Amino acid sequence: MSKSIPEMYGSLVFNDTVMRHKLPKDIYKALRKTIDNNTHLELDVANEVATAMKEWAVDLGATHFTHWFQPMTGFTAEKHDSFISPIEGGKVIMEFSGKELVKGEPDASSFPSGGLRATFEARGYTAWDPTSPAFIKDGTLCIPTAFCSYAGEALDKKTPLLRSMEALNKEAVKVLHILGDTDVTSVCTTVGPEQEYFLIDKEDFKKRKDLVFTGRTLLGAMPPKGQEMEDHYFGILKPRVAAYMHDLDEELWKLGIPAKTKHNEVAPCQHELAPIFNTTNVAVDNNQLTMEIMKKVADKHGYVCLLHEKPFEGINGSGKHNNWSVSTDTGINLLDPGKNPATNTRFLLFLAAVIKAVDEYADLMRVSVASAGNDHRLGANEAPPAIISIFLGDELTNVLDCIIKGSSFDHEKEMMSIGATVLPHFVKDTTDRNRTSPFAFTGNKFEFRSLGSSASVATPNIVLNTAVAEALRQFAEKLEGTDPAKMDEAVLGLVRETILAHKRVIFNGNGYADEWVKEAEARGLYNLKSTPEALPAFKAEKNMELFIKHGVFSETEIVSRTEILFENYVKTLHIEALTLQDMVHKDFLPAVMKYADSVCDSISAKKAISASLPTGEAEKLLEKLASYYEEISKQAEKLESDTAEAEKDTDLEAQAMKYHDVVMADMEALRAVADEAELLLPDELLPYPTYEKMLFYV
Ligand code: ADP
Ligand code: MG
């Protein structure tokens, strides 16, 4: 009989239950202290933990271990070592030491380091992150680790994330103690990332170089039907998709990833998976793993899982919603307004901190979601606009208005009536939904919706945590020493002052409207439309100061990261440009020529039989094909020379701009003619599967 879900859940994770069971009591306690209070772990404790981990892993069939880390490639990295250790008589035993558990030394020279490589040793270190549990994947014990250079510069996403969580913890606890919540000893941020993805047939995928090399289609005309009927969103799952999702859930559950919600998305073949939220660090690791497992399970089902932000032109792309909140070790969600937000001063203060943080660091928030792929979504009226603003909903907006005016807020929750008496009545949510807002308050958390589907959720959370930490730091400074009897009054005053200063970032209207773009400009909000426009903000003086002050990034780390992001942008566009040229020259133009030839043959054949056979329409078609051939060839030539020109640029930022302004425009122009021509070609001459075939026959 197969295992029940509770039995299966977390069966491949070295979680708290396993630790308690496998470790001697004092060792367990020491490890717990390290996990809960960030204390240093002694080597003798590490040795015991390593032995227990190995025994547990070997029992479950593991033969290898790896330090699992997240370099700046955006993917995860692993290097497997087996547990075997030779003993006398040509035999081996399975061994794993505390030293191997806590530290690894992968060669750092082949990972992106943005200039750090030149000045630092090639050697890199991985260091065990005991706050994220180890797990078994494909017979390998995976140990989540941070990755840094010999000099201690972070080369990954986990290190700054942990630093940002610590910064927020420190400042939030300080504020809470001032407010009188002295029983709180730590505060942590929580994240629930909703992940969107596409599933297409593996056979179709393999036939398209664009999907293989770039993850998105660079050519392809729209089918007669797109997503206009809105019949896919929350639609019934097809059996094959349902089977995939079922398998995916099981694989994730075994890894202790609490996959909770699954449904069809707006676009055909698009789906979404949301887990139950977790501590940010674990949620980030889990999301990386989720993306990996999604692809792996897809392969077993004859699918390919596309995580690109925009696999298909004209069809909604994929994003990731970063649900984010802050809670205390005493179990309080600091963004939960409670029954009466107007008198919940602690909530109001944290709310004000988030508003201040997002307004002051909106440019960094934009940077944190910037990528070549995500540029196709942001501002394309399907995802939030590139302008970062906050949606609060009517109730909270009213509460804040009253605080500003100094009037009292009459709080009466409206009951929701659905109109049929058999249906239950429930209290209306404090906020309605607003799908066009990049940063929306959704009842007891904020939802940052600008994230791309393929990217790690680490960076947006690093920015959010650090920016909020800074706002809280300033609040603590102002409230320090206030007479406890006057604390509420002081907090309300501070909230009022903060909202007055930052209310420009609050926008409850339609983010897709053109008027908003104008209004946002008048309000002085950033509108960083593309990645090359956004990235320089990373190293703007105020942003450098922020990160350095809170110990999240050093100046070198910021400079090197900015460079990596620029490089990544340029490389992505370069690969796309080359792939498109290749497809046009080797697949598409030959198909156009072939069809033109056959039309030509048919015209000559008709003429040979009788001069009176009509050939006018065929000749028109031939003319069209011939002129498409010329036009496409010319556009391809232009793309080729502009790409070569962009490649020559030695100034990385100027080069990125050139790729954006010139090369991408060329690609779009080329695609536009090719897609028109595609509509003329008979299916059997098309060199690769069409949108129709990929999206409607899965
Ligand atoms: P929707 O599609 O309506 O946005 P979902 O239920 O799909 O909502 O996703 C909501 C996500 O928010 C889930 O991952 C959920 O676990 C997460 N979430 C709920 N409460 C919190 C919280 N306090 N902190 C972080 N994430 C949360
Ligand atoms: Mg959502």
Side-chain angles (χ1 to χ4, degrees):
M1 218 187 75
S2 64
K3 278 190 189 171
S4 73
I5 292 167
E7 273 174 324
M8 177 203 304
Y9 190 85
S11 56
L12 297 176
V13 185
F14 194 74
N15 53 27
D16 190 66
T17 314
V18 181
M19 285 193 275
R20 201 194 307 250
H21 184 69
K22 299 266 176 203
L23 294 170
K25 237 193 188 133
D26 53 326
I27 300 292
Y28 171 76
K29 264 197 189 152
L31 179 57
R32 235 10 294 171
K33 217 172 121 201
T34 299
I35 297 172
D36 298 335
N37 310 334
N38 289 320
T39 53
H40 181 72
L41 191 85
E42 298 303 331
L43 191 62
D44 54 330
V45 177
N47 276 327
E48 295 253 15
V49 177
T51 306
M53 249 187 206
K54 178 209 66 189
E55 272 165 18
W56 166 82
V58 169
D59 275 351
L60 288 165
T63 52
H64 289 69
F65 71 93
T66 180
H67 277 197
W68 184 77
F69 58 103
Q70 297 161 31
M72 300 297 299
T73 53
F75 302 104
T76 55
E78 40 195 77
K79 177 181 128 209
H80 301 213
D81 281 303
S82 71
F83 291 122
I84 62 163
S85 169
I87 51 165
E88 260 174 63
K91 308 279 266 179
V92 295
I93 51 164
M94 301 298 256
E95 246 183 3
F96 183 47
S97 70
K99 236 169 85 192
E100 288 171 305
L101 167 65
V102 299
K103 195 177 108 188
E105 293 190 26
D107 184 351
S109 61
S110 299
F111 292 106
S113 70
L116 285 181
R117 201 179 310 150
T119 37
F120 294 86
E121 262 199 66
R123 198 159 19 157
Y125 286 109
T126 49
W128 179 35
D129 167 20
T131 63
S132 183
F135 54 91
I136 296 173
K137 185 166 64 78
D138 299 328
T140 296
L141 169 66
C142 299
I143 298 145
T145 51
F147 179 44
C148 61
S149 73
Y150 181 69
E153 306 274 357
L155 292 172
D156 69 346
K157 307 213 173 199
K158 185 189 272 284
T159 308
L161 180 71
L162 290 172
R163 292 174 183 162
S164 76
M165 289 169 71
E166 272 177 40
L168 187 123
N169 173 38
K170 183 175 141 212
E171 305 302 337
V173 169
K174 210 191 306 167
V175 165
L176 289 169
H177 285 184
I178 294 172
L179 295 186
D181 292 307
T182 45
D183 53 337
V184 173
T185 56
S186 72
V187 162
C188 94
T189 54
T190 48
V191 162
E194 301 161 56
Q195 175 76 46
E196 291 182 336
Y197 61 99
F198 279 85
L199 286 179
I200 62 162
D201 258 322
K202 206 196 304 188
E203 288 313 309
D204 289 340
F205 173 85
K206 282 197 219 150
K207 290 180 195 137
R208 295 206 55 132
K209 286 178 197 154
D210 47 7
L211 286 178
V212 171
F213 292 129
T214 73
R216 73 179 184 105
T217 54
L218 302 172
L219 290 171
M222 278 299 283
K225 178 185 171 186
Q227 62 190 45
E228 61 276 65
M229 303 294 281
E230 302 184 323
D231 50 358
H232 194 253
Y233 190 55
F234 284 15
I236 296 165
L237 302 176
K238 289 182 186 151
R240 202 177 141 204
V241 172
Y244 165 79
M245 287 181 171
H246 176 86
D247 253 18
L248 176 61
D249 277 341
E250 284 200 355
E251 290 308 313
L252 295 175
W253 289 338
K254 283 185 209 163
L255 289 165
I257 299 174
K260 172 85 173 162
T261 311
K262 51 186 180 185
H263 60 79
N264 284 347
E265 260 300 331
V266 176
C269 295
Q270 192 187 29
H271 315 280
E272 180 182 299
L273 180 143
I276 297 170
F277 69 94
N278 218 325
T279 308
T280 302
N281 177 30
V282 176
V284 168
D285 285 359
N286 282 351
N287 181 252
Q288 290 289 140
L289 259 181
T290 300
M291 292 193 282
E292 186 184 327
I293 305 293
M294 277 179 161
K295 293 194 165 183
K296 208 180 319 176
V297 175
D299 190 62
K300 269 197 237 155
H301 287 255
Y303 284 130
V304 168
C305 171
L306 303 177
L307 290 173
H308 193 283
E309 284 76 14
K310 191 74 177 175
F312 305 100
E313 184 96 7
I315 302 267
N316 268 11
S318 299
K320 194 133 59 181
H321 289 178
N322 188 77
N323 293 276
W324 179 92
S325 194
V326 194
S327 51
T328 66
D329 59 339
T330 54
I332 307 164
N333 176 353
L334 295 165
L335 291 178
D336 188 343
K339 287 212 181 74
N340 194 348
T343 57
N344 187 346
T345 47
R346 184 179 54 207
F347 162 73
L348 289 170
L349 190 63
F350 277 85
L351 178 70
V354 177
I355 293 170
K356 176 175 160 69
V358 172
D359 186 33
E360 286 178 349
Y361 298 101
D363 53 344
L364 269 183
M365 303 263 296
R366 175 65 184 89
V367 170
S368 78
V369 297
S371 71
N374 213 15
D375 278 1
H376 298 286
R377 292 176 66 241
L378 300 181
N381 285 10
E382 61 170 73
I387 306 163
I388 303 286
S389 66
I390 302 180
F391 170 82
L392 285 182
D394 294 339
E395 184 181 355
L396 278 189
T397 306
N398 285 340
V399 170
L400 296 181
D401 278 349
C402 291
I403 292 173
I404 290 174
K405 289 192 208 113
S407 55
S408 70
F409 175 73
D410 204 8
H411 174 85
E412 226 174 75
K413 274 201 173 155
E414 272 176 80
M415 287 304 281
M416 177 101 177
S417 167
I418 312 180
T421 40
V422 290
L423 296 173
H425 284 232
F426 44 81
V427 178
K428 248 183 167 176
D429 266 343
T430 48
T431 54
D432 191 7
R433 306 205 144 228
N434 173 325
R435 291 182 66 94
T436 67
S437 175
F439 199 79
F441 184 72
T442 50
N444 59 0
K445 60 187 186 311
F446 275 99
E447 186 171 349
F448 187 18
R449 301 187 176 128
S450 309
L451 287 74
S453 48
S454 69
S456 157
V457 293
T459 318
N461 286 297
I462 294 169
V463 169
L464 202 48
N465 294 344
T466 315
V468 174
E470 172 57 19
L472 292 171
R473 188 195 67 78
Q474 292 181 24
F475 286 179
E477 225 169 61
K478 292 205 169 147
L479 294 172
E480 193 109 64
T482 304
D483 175 358
K486 294 194 176 137
M487 189 56 79
D488 275 358
E489 204 182 308
V491 170
L492 282 180
L494 185 52
V495 170
R496 181 169 184 273
E497 186 186 300
T498 309
I499 302 306
L500 276 174
H502 299 288
K503 64 177 198 292
R504 64 173 188 173
V505 78
I506 299 169
F507 177 62
N508 291 326
N510 176 10
Y512 293 169
D514 292 335
E515 298 84 73
W516 171 231
V517 178
K518 281 185 218 124
E519 192 185 325
E521 196 183 341
R523 290 189 189 189
L525 300 182
Y526 294 98
N527 185 3
L528 302 167
K529 292 197 198 87
S530 68
T531 297
E533 275 170 277
L535 292 184
F538 198 1
K539 43 184 188 168
E541 204 178 314
K542 75 171 173 76
N543 298 336
M544 280 254 194
E545 235 171 65
L546 170 77
F547 286 130
I548 294 168
K549 184 186 286 167
H550 291 276
V552 172
F553 287 123
S554 67
E555 183 175 341
T556 344
E557 285 169 347
I558 296 169
V559 171
S560 66
R561 254 155 232 256
T562 313
E563 194 180 314
I564 291 171
L565 290 166
F566 268 113
E567 259 175 14
N568 191 289
Y569 181 83
V570 165
K571 283 181 190 162
T572 304
L573 265 87
H574 187 224
I575 295 170
E576 288 187 353
L578 294 187
T579 305
L580 181 55
Q581 288 164 34
D582 183 279
M583 285 174 82
V584 165
H585 287 308
K586 292 197 185 144
D587 302 324
F588 197 77
L589 283 174
V592 175
M593 183 64 93
K594 197 164 173 191
Y595 188 35
D597 286 351
S598 81
V599 174
C600 198
D601 288 350
S602 144
I603 294 170
S604 329
K606 282 184 191 132
K607 285 199 168 142
I609 293 170
S610 152
S612 63
L613 276 176
T615 53
E617 291 303 316
E619 276 166 38
K620 267 194 230 160
L621 173 61
L622 181 60
E623 215 162 280
K624 267 195 210 162
L625 290 170
S627 68
Y628 273 128
Y629 192 93
E630 294 299 309
E631 179 69 14
I632 294 167
S633 303
K634 257 188 243 154
Q635 291 282 2
E637 234 167 77
K638 178 163 162 40
L639 172 63
E640 229 171 282
S641 66
D642 286 342
T643 308
E645 192 56 38
E647 267 311 272
K648 278 192 226 143
D649 208 318
T650 49
D651 178 305
L652 189 55
E653 297 189 18
Q655 186 183 33
M657 237 19 201
K658 215 174 260 174
Y659 265 104
H660 177 267
D661 293 344
V662 183
V663 176
M664 206 158 76
D666 286 350
M667 288 175 61
E668 273 160 21
L670 172 54
R671 175 186 189 140
V673 260
D675 287 357
E676 272 177 41
E678 184 190 303
L679 293 172
L680 292 179
L681 298 185
D683 281 348
E684 78 266 15
L685 283 185
L686 279 172
Y688 32 72
T690 57
Y691 271 30
E692 192 174 314
K693 168 84 176 39
M694 285 186 286
L695 292 169
F696 290 94
Y697 293 87
V698 171

